[in-house]
């Protein structure tokens, strides 16, 4: 092999060494499911789904008066998809309350809300959260209901939760039966890296 062939081969090797990492990075950016070393326990919603303050209306007087509490805070969102909050739903409400309390010194950065998707009488609904005096209950807009159904590709199961960032982006979702300690780890990580809320 003469010098000219060696030089040509060297140029090709150098070119491959510079272009291959960019190709791999682009492939992983376009296909995040290939990244196996994830550290989150919930499912990241990519791209995040945007909500606005207009998507929320208070379900009761307390919630209506305190809707401004949602602005600038991380939201731990229980979704009540049926006209009855069954045992799975009740357990999820309890777990989200535990989750918020576990935030310790970061507690003031998060708010809990329950989004009630079906029309429900206030007397029945009050039995679901009678001891939960700080929970904000929300009637969502049709637009928000549609967005939640799109994330779930159909029906929303009882007992799941979402995290929404202070800008209104729905970031993560957790299936029914979620572990509040693992969800807390994810939320603490988001709070740590967040420059907002």
């Amino acid at each position: 092999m003469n010098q000219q062939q060696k030089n040509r081969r060297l140029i090709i090797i150098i070119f491959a060494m510079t272009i291959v990492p960019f190709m791999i990075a682009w492939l992983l950016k376009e296909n995040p499911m290939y990244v196996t070393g994830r550290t989150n326990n919930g499912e990241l919603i990519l791209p995040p789904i945007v909500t606005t303050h207009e998507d929320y209306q208070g379900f009761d007087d307390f919630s209506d008066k305190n809707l401004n509490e949602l602005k600038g805070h991380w939201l731990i969102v229980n979704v009540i998809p049926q006209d009855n909050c069954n045992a799975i739903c009740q357990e999820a409400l309890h777990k989200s309350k535990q989750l918020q309390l576990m935030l310790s010194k970061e507690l003031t950065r998060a708010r809990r809300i329950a989004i009630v998707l079906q029309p429900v009488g206030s007397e029945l609904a009050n039995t679901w959260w009678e001891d939960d005096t700080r929970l904000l209950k929300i009637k969502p807009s049709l637009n928000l209901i549609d967005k939640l159904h799109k994330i779930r590709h159909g029906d929303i199961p009882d007992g799941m939760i979402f995290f929404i960032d202070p800008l209104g982006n729905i970031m993560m979702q957790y299936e029914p039966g979620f572990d509040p300690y693992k969800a807390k780890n994810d939320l603490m990580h988001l709070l740590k890296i967040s420059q907002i809320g």
Side-chain angles (χ1 to χ4, degrees):
M1 184 182 298
N2 64 30
Q3 188 63 36
Q4 189 176 12
Q5 288 174 323
K6 286 181 182 177
N7 289 346
R8 196 172 291 148
R9 181 177 285 177
L10 181 62
I11 290 170
I12 291 170
I13 290 170
I14 291 171
F15 177 75
M17 286 173 58
T18 56
I19 199 71
V20 167
F22 289 107
M23 297 287 287
I24 292 170
W26 177 83
L27 179 70
L28 293 176
K29 178 188 168 288
E30 296 298 316
N31 302 284
M33 61 282 220
Y34 294 150
V35 181
T36 56
R38 68 186 192 129
T39 57
N40 52 295
N41 298 290
E43 183 182 340
L44 199 59
I45 297 168
L46 292 171
I49 306 296
V50 180
T51 67
T52 66
H53 193 64
E54 288 72 37
D55 286 322
Y56 307 103
Q57 180 184 349
F59 181 85
D60 55 17
D61 288 340
F62 170 78
S63 302
D64 218 26
K65 289 175 186 169
N66 291 285
L67 271 183
N68 281 335
E69 285 285 307
L70 305 183
K71 291 180 180 176
H73 290 95
W74 285 85
L75 302 181
I76 303 166
V77 183
N78 287 89
V79 180
I80 302 175
Q82 310 300 326
D83 58 2
N84 182 29
C85 187
N86 60 23
I88 296 168
C89 168
Q90 292 282 329
E91 180 186 28
L93 285 168
H94 178 69
K95 285 180 178 179
S96 70
K97 187 176 183 180
Q98 287 180 313
L99 166 58
Q100 186 183 28
L101 292 173
M102 285 189 285
L103 294 178
S104 189
K105 65 180 181 176
E106 302 291 352
L107 181 112
T108 57
R109 296 177 66 189
R111 297 291 182 270
R112 286 175 57 240
I113 66 172
I115 295 181
V116 184
L117 299 186
Q118 300 293 330
V120 179
S122 58
E123 282 187 32
L124 172 62
N126 286 337
T127 64
W128 303 341
W129 44 63
E130 57 188 339
D131 297 332
D132 204 341
T133 56
R134 298 297 305 152
L135 178 68
L136 294 174
K137 287 74 75 178
I138 301 297
K139 282 192 270 187
S141 68
L142 293 175
N143 185 38
L144 179 54
I145 292 172
D146 186 49
K147 288 176 180 180
L148 293 174
H149 281 290
K150 282 182 180 170
I151 292 170
R152 298 298 303 173
H153 306 291
D155 289 336
I156 300 168
D158 290 304
M160 69 169 305
I161 62 167
F162 292 96
F163 290 159
I164 299 179
D165 76 10
L167 298 177
N169 299 306
I170 305 176
M171 304 281 297
M172 298 191 83
Q173 62 178 325
Y174 293 81
E175 296 298 323
F178 66 92
D179 182 337
Y181 292 96
K182 291 181 177 178
K184 178 210 122 190
N185 290 342
D186 287 347
L187 186 52
M188 289 296 285
H189 180 71
L190 288 169
L191 290 169
K192 184 177 180 181
I193 62 174
S194 172
Q195 301 299 312
I196 50 173

